[in-house]
Amino acid sequence: MTARAASRWPKGSTALATFVVVSIALLFVFAPARRAAEAKTAVSFAMPLPDRVPPGVVLRVGDPVTRWVFEHNGWDKKLPFRIEWAEITGGPDVTEAFHAGVLDVGFGASVPPIHAVWMGIPVRIVGFREYADRARRQAYVFGIAPKANITTLADLRGKRIAFSPSQVQAQVVIETLKAVGIRREDVTLVELPSSIGGDVYSNALASGAIDAAPIRDDLVAQRYIRDFGARGARILKHPAFRDDGGSIYVPETVLADAGKTAALRVFVRYWGLAQAWISSHPEDLARGYFAGKRGLPIADARVMAAYNSGFSVPRRWGEAIAYQQAAVDTLGPETKHPRLDATTLFDRRFESIAGDGAASAQGRQP
């Protein structure tokens, strides 16, 4: 769920977004056929990455924050290929765009790449980031409805909880229930994607449609308390488990294209640099992107910039793979999907590239 005002970028992605929304039903209908088609474009992950970008290559990327950083620093003009930026964020929208064949690179938390594979779209993670101080930070908290009579997480028993199987919020819910000893059958999970627009979870909580929901610990949580705290709304932290990982990931069909893969190799390095640049320039991000492009008041923009900074980009993916495996093992049994080996979610040819870009940091070109 994204706290944002209307974008001030040109609305060139309107038709694209409409097409993506229409494709949601087709995603489930044609998933088996897509699996067969994908099998014909197998990628040899033992082969080295191509290093020559041929003329005319275009990467279609859905990552608005990265877009602003690239354009602000002029990096997009230094690339040996062209980027078509799409205003597509959130796991469900990225999956739909991959299915429709209108996006090459998406950004998401732990669950969207897993869910894409479960939906018959083989994808690979090519860049990974995590909180630098992940032992102390949480990306999500539980919003509690004003009249839910919930003061501790143990009070979730018997309550209605928002649940989005294709997003990291689902993992937060299931891991929380396990941590406090509440069985799945002792709660009502209300399927409600957080990406369908606006502060949908906050509004559902305020209206009493649900009793609890995992919401982002950024402006969403602050606005929820600001608007409904006087009526009894509250925030509760979830137990100590990780919810901070984020990745850029691509359909395997993109990796079957040598030209796009070579371009992706360059892009991933700049993406790593962008994560480090953001962490060292939070005020620039607040003023330029969240206030300038998204139209937020500067105080709110600073909240969002703080939430979107302070990341590290590892050069080795051992812990990232373990993190993704935990998500698979948490959600698979609950959503009746098969177990995956999380190693198969990563293209390890890219393992050190984003980290190398981040290490070159402080706004310098890699």
Side-chain angles (χ1 to χ4, degrees), residues 273-321:
L273 174 64
Q275 308 316 301
W277 187 93
I278 287 169
S279 293
S280 60
H281 297 80
E283 184 66 12
D284 291 331
L285 185 68
R287 291 185 176 278
Y289 178 70
F290 288 109
K293 291 295 185 183
R294 294 303 186 191
L296 293 176
I298 189 59
D300 290 348
R302 286 177 175 138
V303 171
M304 293 302 297
Y307 182 83
N308 283 274
S309 61
F311 288 96
S312 64
V313 183
R315 296 186 69 256
R316 296 290 178 263
W317 283 348
E319 290 188 10
I321 292 170

Side-chain angles (χ1 to χ4, degrees), residues 2-364:
T2 303
R4 65 181 183 188
S7 171
R8 296 186 183 179
W9 274 324
K11 299 185 181 296
S13 299
T14 302
L16 173 61
T18 301
F19 183 58
V20 166
V21 170
V22 171
S23 73
I24 187 170
L26 299 178
L27 174 62
F28 296 93
V29 173
F30 292 108
R34 185 173 184 102
R35 288 189 190 97
E38 300 283 1
K40 298 178 181 178
T41 57
V43 180
S44 175
F45 294 102
M47 296 292 290
L49 291 172
D51 56 9
R52 190 184 75 84
V53 182
V57 171
V58 177
L59 280 184
R60 300 165 299 175
V61 180
D63 190 346
V65 175
T66 295
R67 172 188 178 177
W68 182 83
V69 175
F70 272 50
E71 293 178 348
H72 177 75
N73 288 289
W75 298 340
D76 55 324
K77 296 180 175 61
K78 300 176 182 179
L79 300 174
F81 56 90
R82 185 166 61 87
I83 297 180
E84 288 183 359
W85 298 99
E87 284 289 289
I88 296 176
T89 59
D93 292 345
V94 171
T95 299
E96 292 155 21
F98 284 168
H99 170 73
V102 297
L103 193 69
D104 297 321
V105 185
F107 176 80
S110 57
V111 175
I114 299 165
H115 192 261
V117 173
W118 280 337
M119 291 297 99
I121 305 174
V123 299
R124 295 280 175 154
I125 292 169
V126 295
F128 186 87
R129 76 179 193 189
E130 58 195 7
Y131 283 155
D133 57 346
R134 54 190 178 277
R136 295 187 298 275
R137 288 181 67 181
Q138 291 186 351
Y140 291 86
V141 293
F142 275 93
I144 305 301
K147 297 181 180 180
N149 196 28
I150 297 172
T151 57
T152 71
L153 292 175
D155 297 328
L156 291 173
R157 192 183 309 273
K159 302 299 184 179
R160 301 162 299 165
I161 306 173
F163 188 76
S164 180
S166 62
Q167 297 179 277
V168 69
Q169 288 93 324
Q171 182 182 359
V172 171
V173 170
I174 298 302
E175 290 206 28
T176 296
L177 294 178
K178 288 182 177 180
V180 298
I182 298 176
R183 297 178 302 170
R184 161 69 178 81
E185 54 267 32
D186 291 334
V187 299
T188 299
L189 299 183
V190 180
E191 191 161 329
L192 182 64
S194 72
S195 62
I196 60 177
D199 293 343
V200 60
Y201 278 9
S202 299
N203 293 334
L205 288 165
S207 70
I210 53 177
D211 299 308
I215 60 178
R216 286 184 13 173
D217 191 19
D218 61 4
L219 191 56
V220 173
Q222 290 197 11
R223 279 179 171 170
Y224 179 58
I225 295 302
R226 183 190 309 167
D227 294 343
F228 306 110
R231 291 169 42 188
R234 67 177 63 205
I235 295 295
L236 295 177
K237 287 185 173 292
H238 65 65
F241 56 78
R242 289 188 60 186
D243 62 357
D244 62 299
S247 62
I248 47 172
Y249 59 111
V250 302
E252 287 188 3
T253 50
V254 172
L255 297 168
D257 183 318
K260 283 185 180 288
T261 303
L264 190 60
R265 179 179 187 169
V266 178
F267 173 80
V268 168
R269 187 171 175 87
Y270 273 95
W271 180 84
L273 174 64
Q275 308 316 301
W277 187 93
I278 287 169
S279 293
S280 60
H281 297 80
E283 184 66 12
D284 291 331
L285 185 68
R287 291 185 176 278
Y289 178 70
F290 288 109
K293 291 295 185 183
R294 294 303 186 191
L296 293 176
I298 189 59
D300 290 348
R302 286 177 175 138
V303 171
M304 293 302 297
Y307 182 83
N308 283 274
S309 61
F311 288 96
S312 64
V313 183
R315 296 186 69 256
R316 296 290 178 263
W317 283 348
E319 290 188 10
I321 292 170
Y323 175 73
Q324 290 296 124
Q325 191 66 61
V328 171
D329 295 343
T330 297
L331 286 183
E334 297 295 335
T335 57
K336 305 299 187 290
H337 288 299
R339 189 178 189 275
L340 301 173
D341 178 357
T343 303
T344 64
L345 294 170
F346 291 78
D347 185 343
R348 300 195 76 161
R349 297 176 299 172
F350 289 87
E351 185 164 8
S352 66
I353 295 177
D356 288 342
S360 71
Q362 307 307 320
R364 298 194 306 271

